[in-house]
Amino acid sequence: MFFHFAILLAGAGFAVATSGLSSQCQSALLNISTSSSAACLNPSGLISLVITNSNSSSIIPGVNTWISGLCTQAACSNSTLQTVVTDVISGCSTDLSSLGVITTDPTAIVTSIQASYPTVRQLLCLTDILLTTHCVPEMLTGIQSATTTLSLNSIITLVTKLVSGRSTGIPSSAVCTNCTKAAYTVLSQGLPGIATAVQSSFSSECGANYTNGQMPSSIQATAGNSSSTTSSSGAIALSVGSLNMGAAAVAAVAAAFAIFA
């Protein structure tokens, strides 16, 4: 299931964020971050994540800044995705292998990411027009309000509970929102096989109306299609610290969607 993979991704991401990256992987990621062709991923937006380098600070502000910039960029082409994914696999193969990520078939990985990217991008760029916020940080904020500060440490604890099948203590009120309904609707349209696999548990948690395929009127898809550029100053300012925290941010998003399974 996709959400089981999301849990694995979250755990892997936090392992990377806490243990650090190999010098070869650091070099590969820094090269990607300074490439103009990677602007569609908003690598300069990862700079803001440096301010969340405390294990006790909420990473939500950094996630919000990255997604806000990401969603104004033009979509990545399949060619760009292939280049970025291939470079990551090549430069970070040791790091990925140590986390149990199998990279022996790069072509299959590239094809899978190219197929999933449009839907994932739509999910990331969903916006609550009533609150004028992106859905991902809104969902994370709701979870944080119902539990505790979503710091690196607390999300590691959350992921551990998810992996072990224990209760996370997150109430339905923090999970069953217009944003999560919209996320399921986008998933059902872009990746219907995955949506079908999680429909039963999602309906059980939030009610059948959450899986009726209707987009809430207060939620809009706001992924931009305009041309994008990355300033040289922003690219140069990227650091290994920001890349590590970036891994944590991506893992946090994965963990958030895993909760809704």
Side-chain angles (χ1 to χ4, degrees):
M1 286 174 58
F2 171 77
F3 290 103
H4 288 174
F5 172 76
I7 294 173
L8 175 61
L9 174 62
F14 286 121
V16 170
T18 55
S19 65
L21 304 168
S22 68
S23 59
Q24 181 180 359
C25 188
Q26 290 174 14
S27 177
L29 294 179
L30 288 171
N31 286 337
I32 291 171
S33 72
T34 58
S35 171
S36 59
S37 63
C40 57
L41 299 173
N42 187 29
S44 62
L46 296 177
I47 297 172
S48 65
L49 295 176
V50 175
I51 65 173
T52 64
N53 56 8
S54 169
N55 283 353
S56 61
S57 300
S58 174
I59 68 169
I60 295 176
V63 172
N64 184 55
T65 299
W66 171 59
I67 290 178
S68 295
L70 174 74
C71 295
T72 63
Q73 305 294 334
C76 296
S77 66
N78 277 344
S79 176
T80 294
L81 292 173
Q82 180 176 9
T83 299
V84 170
V85 174
T86 300
D87 288 350
V88 169
I89 292 174
S90 175
C92 302
S93 58
T94 300
D95 302 77
L96 294 170
S97 295
S98 68
L99 296 170
V101 180
I102 300 173
T103 60
T104 54
D105 191 352
T107 300
I109 296 174
V110 169
T111 300
S112 177
I113 290 177
Q114 288 174 336
S116 302
Y117 168 75
T119 300
V120 172
R121 184 168 179 265
Q122 287 184 59
L123 286 172
L124 289 174
C125 297
L126 287 172
T127 298
D128 186 329
I129 60 175
L130 295 181
L131 299 178
T132 63
T133 60
H134 285 292
C135 275
V136 170
E138 180 182 320
M139 289 187 290
L140 293 174
T141 299
I143 294 171
Q144 178 172 269
S145 298
T147 55
T148 186
T149 300
L150 288 184
S151 64
L152 182 59
N153 283 339
S154 65
I155 299 177
I156 290 174
T157 300
L158 174 61
V159 170
T160 301
K161 290 181 178 179
L162 286 169
V163 171
S164 64
R166 289 181 290 159
S167 171
T168 60
I170 300 174
S172 295
S173 59
V175 175
C176 303
T177 66
N178 281 337
C179 275
T180 55
K181 179 179 180 181
Y184 179 86
T185 300
V186 169
L187 193 65
S188 66
Q189 295 170 351
L191 298 169
I194 296 172
T196 299
V198 300
Q199 182 177 11
S200 178
S201 56
F202 198 86
S203 296
S204 176
E205 178 73 17
C206 299
N209 64 315
Y210 273 80
T211 59
N212 63 9
Q214 300 299 311
M215 181 70 73
S217 60
S218 62
I219 308 299
Q220 290 185 352
T222 58
N225 293 310
S226 59
S227 298
S228 60
T229 57
T230 301
S231 65
S232 58
S233 60
I236 293 173
L238 280 171
S239 65
V240 172
S242 66
L243 289 169
N244 283 346
M245 290 310 300
V250 173
V253 173
F257 281 103
I259 292 168
F260 308 138

